[in-house]
Amino acid sequence: MVNFYARLAVATKDGRYELVQEFTPSKPLRVIDVAALASTITHIARDFSLFCHMCHWWSALFFATARRMAGDPPIHQGPAFDKRGRGFGVRFVDDE
């Protein structure tokens, strides 16, 4: 996790990505659980992959479920928080 976070910090600093939101787990997340979550969402998403907003849906579902698995810690908003779930100014995912 430290290596992933360090790479994420570099990616957001050089402008390739904007941080939307993050959380610090209040209970441990096991790698196997996170991998199973990603695999399950990807498997379920197979029928929906024709839609251009799929990445918004996938990431919103992954974030919300991983947060729940981590004990529902508070969300820390990033600079792009108000843009979450949007593409071309249109809201594709409503996570409120």
Side-chain angles (χ1 to χ4, degrees):
M1 292 300 264
V2 172
N3 189 25
F4 172 76
Y5 187 79
R7 289 175 190 238
L8 182 62
V10 169
T12 56
K13 280 184 184 173
D14 73 8
R16 288 184 291 169
Y17 300 97
E18 289 183 273
L19 180 64
V20 175
Q21 56 191 1
E22 64 183 346
F23 63 84
T24 302
S26 55
K27 69 179 197 180
L29 282 173
R30 298 181 318 165
V31 171
I32 190 70
D33 294 331
V34 173
L37 173 60
S39 177
T40 301
I41 294 172
T42 299
H43 180 73
I44 291 169
R46 191 174 350 157
D47 296 334
F48 301 101
S49 62
L50 298 175
F51 299 113
C52 64
H53 63 278
M54 191 65 201
C55 59
H56 295 285
W57 174 85
W58 195 99
S59 60
L61 183 58
F62 182 88
F63 184 87
T65 306
R67 184 173 165 252
R68 176 70 50 104
M69 292 166 56
D72 278 330
I75 293 173
H76 306 286
Q77 298 178 2
F81 185 78
D82 292 335
K83 297 181 201 175
R84 73 193 185 289
R86 297 180 184 273
F88 306 107
V90 176
R91 189 176 228 17
F92 292 117
V93 177
D94 185 9
D95 65 343
E96 294 178 18

